[in-house]
């Protein structure tokens, strides 16, 4: 347990010391929240833009750390032989993966505190079910961390960098983050509806609404995506 906690602390420090890590995990979701809140853009069904924007940016924060930051850092650790050496230490491969996931959850906690603090300045007030929101965030973390590890362990580091950033942009534009998929043109709406980011963002909006609902369809979609990503990662992940 001591080795696991020490590795988790190191993972957090490495992320926060990285300029790219800070940009993706803390700066971009917060900056987008402020930008869209100042513009006042939101679908007509939302009385206040911030009620739409906060769940969207919480989902983006999960994607930022789980998909982009985790995948790129892990891919380069594999490229330089760090994963192989760490896996051969008493820490072991299993606890190394657990330490990485623990660091992701820790940084997500920082992201959530920051985003909620900013949202409060734009008039957001807590509504819905905090417990359900935490459960959805944790499930979304499992989904995108699984995808991040799948990419990091299957392709070269340079390819991981390009692929994760490309997917990140796709999920923002078409995956229900910047705008609900129902408002996109036909084929794009169908594509967006299938993306895991839409399931996460829609679920967060449902549980944080004034009359919270249990988003069973979105939860089922996230579970299916997680199982699929994990199954593929188990077969394709390479430690060196």
């Amino acid at each position: 347990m001591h080795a696991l906690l020490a590795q988790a602390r190191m993972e957090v420090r490495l992320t926060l010391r990285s300029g790219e890590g800070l940009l993706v995990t803390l700066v971009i979701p917060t900056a987008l929240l402020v930008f869209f809140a100042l513009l006042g853009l939101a679908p007509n069904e939302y009385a206040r833009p911030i009620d739409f924007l906060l769940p969207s940016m919480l989902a983006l924060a999960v994607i930022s750390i789980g998909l982009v930051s985790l995948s790129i850092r892990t891919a380069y650790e594999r490229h330089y032989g760090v994963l192989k050496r760490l896996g051969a230490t008493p820490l072991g491969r299993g606890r190394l993966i657990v330490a990485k996931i623990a660091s992701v959850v820790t940084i997500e906690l920082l992201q959530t505190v920051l985003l909620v603090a900013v949202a409060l300045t734009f008039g957001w007030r807590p509504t819905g079910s905090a417990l359900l929101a935490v459960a959805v965030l944790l499930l979304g973390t499992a989904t995108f961390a699984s995808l991040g590890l799948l990419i990091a362990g299957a392709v070269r580091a340079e390819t991981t960098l390009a692929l994760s950033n490309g997917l990140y942009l796709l999920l923002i534009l078409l995956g229900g983050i910047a705008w609900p998929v129902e408002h996109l043109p036909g084929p794009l709406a169908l594509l967006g509806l299938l993306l895991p980011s839409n399931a996460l963002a829609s679920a967060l909006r449902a549980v944080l609404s004034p009359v919270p609902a249990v988003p069973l369809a979105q939860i089922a979609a996230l579970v299916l995506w997680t199982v699929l990503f994990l199954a593929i990662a188990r077969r394709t992940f390479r430690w060196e």
Side-chain angles (χ1 to χ4, degrees), residues 39-189:
L39 290 180
L41 295 178
N44 294 331
E45 56 266 30
Y46 289 87
R48 298 179 304 174
I50 197 65
D51 294 330
F52 166 78
L53 293 171
L54 178 61
S56 297
M57 293 307 110
L58 288 173
L60 183 61
V62 171
I63 298 168
S64 298
I65 182 62
L67 170 60
V68 182
S69 181
L70 178 63
S71 67
I72 293 174
R73 191 173 70 251
T74 303
Y76 277 95
E77 287 174 352
R78 182 168 71 92
H79 175 73
Y80 290 114
V82 176
L83 282 187
K84 179 182 178 181
R85 290 194 291 271
L86 285 175
T89 67
L91 177 68
R93 294 181 175 182
R95 281 184 288 184
L96 175 58
I97 296 298
V98 172
K100 286 184 174 294
I101 300 302
S103 72
V104 167
V105 173
T106 301
I107 293 173
E108 281 180 9
L109 179 60
L110 296 175
Q111 292 172 312
T112 300
V113 170
L114 178 59
L115 289 171
V116 168
V118 171
L120 288 171
T121 67
F122 284 97
W124 181 79
R125 294 296 177 265
T127 59
S129 171
L131 185 60
L132 281 175
V134 170
V136 170
L137 284 171
L138 290 175
L139 179 55
T141 300
T143 303
F144 286 99
S146 300
L147 177 58
L149 291 174
L150 185 162
I151 296 172
V155 299
R156 297 174 55 189
E158 296 83 358
T159 306
T160 296
L161 179 64
L163 182 58
S164 61
N165 282 309
L167 284 175
Y168 187 61
L169 182 60
L170 173 69
L171 296 176
I172 291 175
L173 296 177
L174 302 182
I177 301 297
W179 205 248
V181 297
E182 295 83 2
H183 295 260
L184 298 176
L188 295 180

Side-chain angles (χ1 to χ4, degrees), residues 46 55 128-129 132 201-215 218:
Y46 289 87
S129 171
L132 281 175
S202 298
L204 286 171
R205 292 181 198 122
V207 300
L208 290 175
S209 66
V211 183
V214 180
Q218 289 84 356

